[in-house]
Amino acid sequence: MGLRAPIVNAPMGGVAGGRLAVAVAAAGGLGMIGMGSAGSVEALERELAAAALECELPGLERELMGSAAAPAPGPIGIGLVDWVAAARPGLLDLALAAKPALLSVSFGADLSWAARAREAGIRTATQIYTVEDARRARDAGIDVLVARGLEGGGHGAPELATLPLLEAVLDAVPGPVLAAGGIGSARGVAGMLAAGAAGVWLGTALAAAEESLLSPGGRRALLAARGTDTIVTRVFDVGMDLPWPQRFPARVLRNDFTARWHDRIDELSVTTASPPEQAAAAAAARAELAAADAADDRRIAPVDAGQGVGLVTAVRPVAEILGELCSGAARLLAGDRTDPPRWGC
């Protein structure tokens, strides 16, 4: 793909829009536009148009998405959520029609979308969490595997930490594997590349970038958080009626809502058999959550964040972030260390 930097931004819903994708591509990485739980045809059209605007193009007919004649500063891809694409007719069709440099679809068992992408000449990727996932993805002809460890922010299967998962997958299947989860520094990038990753898939490290779509409240919460301030939970999916498979809870920042409801998640799930008191309390909690999300009150509403969140300390441009990560990783891999090895070699 002609990348100058071994970095792909995670297609974070509500965060990774067209502007972020173009900035990552301009900095030498692979920029991804993300469609999360709220993804739709209209949202993807809007972010493709935003990417085109960043490139000073009149419209999508100029083939923004990474062909040989594309005027974009570098390759740009699209990331979808499996169940969202299935529920929103036309979303996958639009993603394929846009001819992205990479199409990622994750969080589902049906990998038939990969054949459609392959027929359209589009490279494919998907997140995997176990060696079995990796083998199924390779058998389906998926080009790039994203080994997402349990440290990662947002939704994912909390099966293995990033490094053990990466090691196991590299030993089990051929082809390029990207490392994802908890990577937020030059040391982290260098470590994953040294372990054999073809590159890194970064989410939290770029979520507060100047070019992201993250809300002001979300940015403030990220910048104030420590690495120990996250929790893996399903309370927001249940409280917002999002049909995420149970295998994929989300790593988010702890807040007042998780403190109250994480250990009482069953009480948020209301059925016709629920006692009236429980139903009323759940309805009030859901209404509070919806209002907080609309008001950008992150004391109640969710903020996705991985365990590398403590390394995010300022709102900075993507070019600066990627430049620091890549130059620092290159120095480390070349043996330029400020703390020389102590093992006598």
Side-chain angles (χ1 to χ4, degrees):
M1 295 185 186
L3 302 182
R4 304 190 312 276
I7 292 175
V8 182
N9 73 271
M12 303 165 281
V15 176
R19 188 178 174 217
L20 182 71
V22 170
V24 170
L30 173 55
M32 297 288 288
I33 295 173
M35 292 288 107
S37 304
S40 65
V41 169
E42 295 76 17
L44 182 54
E45 288 175 338
R46 181 176 64 247
E47 294 311 322
L48 289 171
L53 184 63
E54 286 295 304
C55 297
E56 298 181 347
L57 300 176
L60 300 179
E61 63 276 6
R62 293 284 301 277
E63 293 185 340
L64 167 67
M65 302 303 297
S67 69
I76 293 175
I78 296 172
L80 305 178
V81 173
D82 177 83
W83 64 264
V84 175
R88 315 276 159 80
L91 183 55
L92 178 59
D93 292 336
L94 176 59
L96 292 169
K99 296 292 183 183
L102 184 73
L103 176 63
S104 170
V105 182
S106 298
F107 312 112
D110 182 4
L111 302 177
S112 60
W113 60 270
R116 293 185 60 190
R118 188 162 54 250
E119 290 168 4
I122 299 169
R123 291 187 178 94
T124 54
T126 195
Q127 294 187 44
I128 54 93
Y129 310 92
T130 65
V131 167
E132 291 73 23
D133 290 343
R135 289 184 174 131
R136 281 193 294 270
R138 282 286 187 247
D139 289 345
I142 291 176
D143 299 301
V144 179
L145 304 184
V146 181
R148 190 272 194 188
L150 56 81
E151 303 99 319
H155 290 87
E159 304 275 357
L160 285 169
T162 303
L163 186 56
L165 175 61
L166 176 66
E167 292 169 324
V169 170
L170 288 171
D171 285 343
V173 298
V177 180
L178 302 179
I183 304 164
S185 70
R187 294 182 186 278
V189 174
M192 294 304 160
L193 295 177
V200 295
W201 177 275
L202 297 184
T204 304
L206 295 170
E210 285 182 4
E211 298 89 345
S212 86
L213 295 173
L214 190 64
S215 69
R219 289 180 199 276
R220 288 192 296 271
L222 279 184
L223 297 180
R226 300 164 299 175
T228 53
D229 288 340
T230 68
I231 186 172
V232 176
T233 186
R234 295 185 61 248
V235 290
F236 294 114
D237 295 336
V238 173
M240 302 173 90
D241 288 318
L242 297 173
W244 278 91
Q246 288 198 18
R247 187 189 179 197
F248 304 117
R251 185 177 290 281
V252 298
L253 293 181
R254 298 175 186 271
N255 63 11
D256 292 350
F257 198 83
T258 62
R260 276 186 276 146
W261 291 102
H262 175 68
D263 294 326
R264 301 165 54 204
I265 192 169
D266 290 344
E267 297 178 36
L268 280 177
S269 303
V270 179
T271 68
T272 55
S274 299
E277 298 82 3
Q278 178 186 338
R286 289 164 181 254
E288 178 188 31
L289 180 56
D293 196 42
D296 195 22
D297 181 357
R298 301 300 148 180
R299 296 170 299 178
I300 301 295
V303 179
D304 289 348
Q307 289 185 324
V309 67
L311 299 169
V312 180
T313 58
V315 176
R316 299 193 291 163
V318 162
E320 183 179 311
I321 298 170
L322 262 62
E324 181 179 285
L325 292 174
C326 291
S327 62
R331 285 194 301 270
L332 289 166
L333 291 170
D336 180 8
R337 297 167 53 96
T338 56
D339 51 340
R342 299 182 178 86
W343 52 82
C345 297

